[in-house]
Each structure stands twice: as structure tokens, then as C-alpha cells.
Amino acid sequence: AQSVTQLDSHVSVSEGTPVLLRCNYSSSYSPSLFWYVQHPNKGLQLLLKYTSAATLVKGINGFEAEFKKSETSFHLTKPSAHMSDAAEYFCVVSDFTNTGFQKLVFGTGTRLLVSP
Amino acid sequence: NAGVTQTPKFRVLKTGQSMTLLCAQDMNHEYMYWYRQDPGMGLRLIHYSVGEGTTAKGEVPDGYNVSRLKKQNFLLGLESAAPSQTSVYFCASTIGIISNQPQHFGDGTRLSIL
């Protein structure tokens, strides 16, 4: 079964400084990986997805992630944090149920705090 | 641009009461999912459906039932609510079986069981 591990439960940055949210995955085959963002009292919104076309994936709002097979990592980065980036971020891997249908496996989340 | 709509947004129940959460999507998606979100645990799959009239169990199905009588709607029922079911419930949908297709989420239903 596929799984993801988010290495930090909380990350604090100052506005204007870089953001790094770490994610490692475990997969027995070439995975599909996603990052989702959840703002307070909202649902999850897709930031970006990796589907083997390119190892560096660009997403919305200036975020990007790099797929590194040798390190089994899919870290999320942004060059300069904005106050509006404060939210919870989920690293997600696509897997299949025992009946062959797609399901998502979620990490436990990283809460990003941005201070002025 | 409705996407995925969940009803209600908030609800407080007493132990033993029953209720139904409604999820509606207007994207003609085949697959629909119900998740629960608890602090520090990410999202866990309760039940899912791969098409009208079909449902299947996820990782945490106990205490819940679901129905998909129409393609656009996916209902989650609690027959006899328990405090352990206090959670935030999310519905999601996706176009189909292709693994790289993202899921689209509703804004959630916040449910408290007293």
C-alpha cells in the first residue's frame, strides 16, 4: 500500500521568507502525488500534482514541488511566503482499493504559520 | 461554479440520534467519496461510490451507511450517533479511475455529538 509521511506538523515562517514543507512517500510503483491546501473552515483545494511528466511541478499561488525518486520525497516550496499562505497543507498519494478503484492516502498535515 | 456542495454545514446531535449528510456535485463525476477529518490524522475514507447505485466501504466504515441513488448525490447516514463520530466530514468527487485525476472537495460538515 502507498503511504506518505509529512515530517513537520507545524512550520513557522516570516512573511517574505521561503517556505519548505517536507513530504516523503512510500510506493511500490510509480506514484501519483498531490499537494492540497486547506484554509480554515474550508474544504481542500488542489495546489499541484505530479504524474511523471516532469519532476519539477508548478502549482497555483507560486508553489512548486520536486519529485525525487532517489530520496522518495515530494517537498513543497515557495520562494516568498505571504500572509494568505497560512493554512494546513496535505501531501497525498494516489492508491487503489482491494477492488481496484482509486483512493487517496493523506498525510497527517502540516500547519503553516506566517508572521508579519 | 458550484462544484461539490455539502449540506448542512454544521450540526449538533445527541447520542443515539440519526441524521443524513447530503453531498451534491454538478461536474458529472462518476466517483464520490466520504471522508472524516480528525486532528492529527489527516483524512480517512469512510465509504465511496464508483457510480450510481454502487457503494463500497473505505477504511473506517463502521457506524455509517451511504446511498447513491442519483449520480450527482451521495448521502452519508448515521443511524445512531456516538460521540466518537464527532468530526468534520468531507465529500469529494473525481471523474474516474485514472490515478492522476485530483479529487474535488466540498467545504465540509462540522458535526458534534453530545
Side-chain angles (χ1 to χ4, degrees):
Chain A
Q2 320 285 63
S3 66
V4 288
T5 302
Q6 292 185 243
L7 300 172
D8 306 291
S9 59
H10 294 80
V11 169
S12 295
V13 299
S14 299
E15 191 174 20
T17 64
V19 175
L20 170 64
L21 305 182
R22 299 182 295 163
C23 174
N24 286 349
Y25 70 90
S26 173
S27 174
S28 55
Y29 50 85
S30 183
S32 292
L33 292 158
F34 309 83
W35 275 99
Y36 282 83
V37 60
Q38 183 181 28
H39 290 279
N41 300 316
K42 288 292 186 181
L44 279 72
Q45 180 187 15
L46 180 69
L47 274 181
L48 51 81
K49 67 178 183 180
Y50 166 76
T51 58
S52 76
T55 56
L56 184 61
V57 182
K58 294 188 184 298
I60 61 171
N61 300 334
F63 284 93
E64 61 182 37
E66 186 172 8
F67 175 76
K68 291 186 176 181
K69 187 175 180 179
S70 60
E71 299 176 8
T72 62
S73 68
F74 189 57
H75 300 336
L76 182 69
T77 60
K78 183 173 181 178
S80 176
H82 191 272
M83 294 297 290
S84 61
D85 294 328
E88 186 139 21
Y89 293 78
F90 291 94
C91 182
V92 183
V93 64
S94 182
D95 196 2
F96 291 91
T97 68
N98 55 11
T99 51
F101 299 105
Q102 185 221 29
K103 67 173 184 178
L104 297 183
V105 178
F106 288 79
T108 52
T110 298
R111 184 166 299 278
L112 177 64
L113 306 170
V114 182
S115 56
Chain B
N1 288 347
V4 179
T5 303
Q6 292 183 233
T7 310
K9 296 188 184 303
F10 304 93
R11 187 72 183 268
V12 178
L13 290 178
K14 294 181 180 179
T15 298
Q17 287 185 316
S18 63
M19 79 162 295
T20 301
L21 281 62
L22 171 63
C23 175
Q25 54 94 3
D26 61 1
M27 297 171 283
N28 202 35
H29 284 170
E30 290 292 338
Y31 282 33
M32 296 187 74
Y33 305 79
W34 275 107
Y35 295 91
R36 60 179 288 172
Q37 183 180 30
D38 300 294
M41 301 186 73
L43 274 70
R44 293 180 293 168
L45 182 64
I46 305 171
H47 286 280
Y48 63 96
S49 168
V50 301
E52 183 178 318
T54 71
T55 63
K57 294 180 180 179
E59 349 167 28
V60 289
D62 294 342
Y64 305 96
N65 55 74
V66 287
S67 64
R68 183 109 180 261
L69 299 180
K70 294 183 179 180
K71 185 177 182 178
Q72 64 268 34
N73 294 337
F74 194 28
L75 278 62
L76 177 71
L78 285 72
E79 291 183 342
S80 179
S84 61
Q85 295 177 304
T86 293
S87 189
V88 183
Y89 292 86
F90 286 98
C91 176
S93 70
T94 191
I95 194 166
I97 197 172
I98 302 170
S99 66
N100 63 7
Q101 294 302 312
Q103 294 184 7
H104 299 260
F105 286 82
D107 283 347
T109 294
R110 284 149 186 82
L111 185 60
S112 293
I113 315 296
L114 303 178

